[in-house]
Amino acid sequence: MPGVAEFLLILAFFEAAAVYCSGFTPPNLLTLERVFPANQRVELEALRARDRARHARMLQGVVSGVVDFTVAGSSDPYLFGLYFTKVKLGSPPKEFNVQIDTGSDILWVTCSSCTNCPQSSELGVELNFFDAATSSTASLVSCSDPICASVVQPATAGCSSQSNQCGYSFQYGDGSGTSGYYVSDLLYFDTIVGTASIANSSTPIVFGCSTYQAGDLTKSDRAIDGIFGFGQQDLSIISQLSSRGITPKVFSHCLKGEGNGGGILVLGEILHPSIVYSPLVPSQPHYNLYLQSISVNGQLVPIDPEVFATSGSRGTIVDSGTTLAYLVEEAYDPFIVAITDATSQSATPIISNGNQCYQVPTSITEIFPPVALNFVGGASMVLRPEDYLVHYGFVDGAAMWCIGFQKVQDQEVTILGDLVLKDKIFVYDLAHQRLGWADYDCSMSVNVSITSGKDEFVAGQLSRSSSARNILFKFMHMSITLLVHIVSLFISLL
């Protein structure tokens, strides 16, 4: 019969196992919905117009401080083809729909005192407004707060001497803008520990409360509660949570391209054996990669590599907020020639509304070649025909497909948007300054890693339809199984 020491050793083992299982840094999950249905036809020019406004906003520098400005807004209605998610803020928690934006850093939502802000939305979502006075956990960020000093430029009037509030102003190049002040309040999220999901986790974060909006942000046909910035700066949510050890310094998404879209966003790392990584260009405000070349059907397209070099306003950006994809002119023209040559026997090239299109008598997968974007480190992003073509209806009984890549004429930045990002896992590993991807069916479950302070991890499986209760039951099953093994071990020693 085992002695007391052996019995205590077994109990210590079980306790250590329990501590081990609870000691992981949790990733956090947000489900995504696509505002503009993927199966609804939209003109390419409308998508380009949306992206033009998007790029003007994304590439414009942020001006800190509360300022008055006059903006010439755009009347283009197709500015809402973005993925969005829900966040809960305040006490009691209130839900907000916010656009996912890897091209900016700050989470901001509309204040109840907002001037010139839309009161309703035609996107099928109910607009909500944040009111710090009704939240028991809200506090304003004062001018003397170190956070304010870190985000406000010394030369700008970022603080109000009367209210002592740390303010901001984001002015976008498309003529829209927002200003307001910073607030600290609770953010709620589901935390995954091992294979368990614990709802109602929360932590205080700093975010913007918008008191003024202008331009396209005021349009009710595409209104939403705010923007969820996922950039690399200190006030982005991923930076705030990772700096406190709440999440790893990595986030991932998998955007579904078919049907009604949707997908999953993880504040953590999605795991897949096929993920390839390429380093991020250092000291850049956006997620810039070293694009080296483009291959069509395994053959390099004759493009001078210098056109992809990152310097000043040049470079290659991965941006989930852009619908199409954009190539600099020196790369676009050779790319079109290569695609046309590869399909000359089966597809008839035509120009439609200024777009390079093709009349296709059969499936595009039987005619169009694979395309590979080749990055530093030997990482290639292989594109299927549907990843660089857009269906544009029918002409004389034949399907017409147009090149989804657009020619960049007024800037020197290549931008990879949802056209090529969809149906892939993307991992933004900020800790190691790299970006990874792998082809994936984003309607399926994904595996995530939960990293501990000792750089250990365990894999858990998540799906778009998984509820917190189902995941918790899986975790309980693991714990019961472990207990059964320990009890069996103890009995065998008797």
Side-chain angles (χ1 to χ4, degrees), residues 17 20 50 54 100 105 123 125 158 179 185 197 234-235 295 303 336 358 371 384 403 469 492:
Y20 179 82
R50 189 201 73 79
R54 156 72 189 166
I100 302 300
D105 299 292
L123 300 182
V125 297
S179 59
D185 208 342
S197 175
D234 290 343
L235 272 192
S295 301
I303 303 172
I336 294 298
Y358 303 86
V371 169
R384 307 162 300 172
I403 296 291
R469 178 176 297 180
S492 68

Side-chain angles (χ1 to χ4, degrees), residues 348-371:
T348 303
I350 57 175
I351 302 297
S352 176
N353 297 325
N355 305 307
Q356 179 61 60
C357 302
Y358 303 86
Q359 287 182 261
V360 183
T362 183
S363 169
I364 57 173
T365 58
E366 299 176 7
I367 296 176
F368 286 86
V371 169

Side-chain angles (χ1 to χ4, degrees), residues 150-205:
S150 69
V151 297
V152 176
Q153 298 297 324
T156 61
C159 276
S160 168
S161 58
Q162 295 180 343
S163 63
N164 192 31
Q165 292 177 358
C166 183
Y168 68 83
S169 176
F170 303 148
Q171 186 171 0
Y172 304 123
D174 67 342
S176 65
T178 175
S179 59
Y181 54 89
Y182 288 108
V183 180
S184 176
D185 208 342
L186 292 180
L187 168 71
Y188 297 82
F189 46 86
D190 291 337
T191 301
I192 310 301
V193 181
T195 52
S197 175
I198 303 175
N200 297 324
S201 297
S202 65
T203 188
I205 55 100

Side-chain angles (χ1 to χ4, degrees), residues 121-418:
S121 174
E122 298 176 14
L123 300 182
V125 297
E126 179 182 354
L127 295 185
N128 286 314
F129 304 89
F130 182 81
D131 187 355
T134 63
S135 174
S136 61
T137 50
S139 62
L140 304 182
V141 177
S142 68
C143 294
S144 59
D145 194 301
I147 293 176
C148 188
S150 69
V151 297
V152 176
Q153 298 297 324
T156 61
C159 276
S160 168
S161 58
Q162 295 180 343
S163 63
N164 192 31
Q165 292 177 358
C166 183
Y168 68 83
S169 176
F170 303 148
Q171 186 171 0
Y172 304 123
D174 67 342
S176 65
T178 175
S179 59
Y181 54 89
Y182 288 108
V183 180
S184 176
D185 208 342
L186 292 180
L187 168 71
Y188 297 82
F189 46 86
D190 291 337
T191 301
I192 310 301
V193 181
T195 52
S197 175
I198 303 175
N200 297 324
S201 297
S202 65
T203 188
I205 55 100
V206 174
F207 59 95
C209 196
S210 174
T211 58
Y212 177 83
Q213 294 174 20
D216 290 302
L217 292 175
T218 68
K219 306 298 183 182
S220 61
D221 59 345
R222 51 191 171 274
I224 204 161
D225 296 326
I227 293 179
F228 202 174
F230 270 85
Q232 304 184 60
Q233 301 306 311
D234 290 343
L235 272 192
S236 72
I237 297 302
I238 191 66
S239 294
Q240 291 190 57
L241 297 184
S242 63
S243 67
R244 301 173 197 168
I246 297 174
T247 66
K249 199 169 184 179
V250 54
F251 70 96
S252 315
H253 62 65
C254 195
L255 308 178
K256 187 173 180 292
E258 299 299 324
N260 291 325
I264 191 168
L265 172 69
V266 180
L267 304 188
E269 181 182 4
I270 295 179
L271 300 173
H272 193 275
S274 299
I275 291 180
V276 294
Y277 286 91
S278 189
L280 290 167
V281 180
S283 305
Q284 295 295 313
H286 306 295
Y287 293 107
N288 286 64
L289 290 174
Y290 297 96
L291 179 61
Q292 293 181 312
S293 62
I294 299 176
S295 301
V296 172
N297 214 18
Q299 300 296 315
L300 284 177
V301 178
I303 303 172
D304 184 353
E306 287 300 314
V307 307
F308 299 127
T310 300
S311 60
S313 61
R314 301 180 71 98
T316 300
I317 295 174
V318 173
D319 175 41
S320 63
T322 293
T323 301
L324 301 173
Y326 293 77
L327 281 177
V328 292
E329 186 172 3
E330 302 93 328
Y332 178 85
D333 292 335
F335 174 71
I336 294 298
V337 170
I339 294 295
T340 302
D341 289 345
T343 60
S344 60
Q345 300 300 316
S346 303
T348 303
I350 57 175
I351 302 297
S352 176
N353 297 325
N355 305 307
Q356 179 61 60
C357 302
Y358 303 86
Q359 287 182 261
V360 183
T362 183
S363 169
I364 57 173
T365 58
E366 299 176 7
I367 296 176
F368 286 86
V371 169
L373 307 179
N374 306 309
F375 298 88
V376 162
S380 291
M381 188 183 300
V382 179
L383 308 181
R384 307 162 300 172
E386 56 266 40
D387 296 331
Y388 63 85
L389 294 171
V390 177
H391 189 217
Y392 204 60
F394 295 86
V395 175
D396 298 330
M400 184 167 68
W401 289 80
C402 298
I403 296 291
F405 279 79
Q406 305 297 298
K407 182 189 295 187
V408 177
Q409 295 176 319
D410 54 345
Q411 296 177 8
E412 297 178 315
V413 179
T414 292
I415 302 176
L416 306 180
D418 291 339

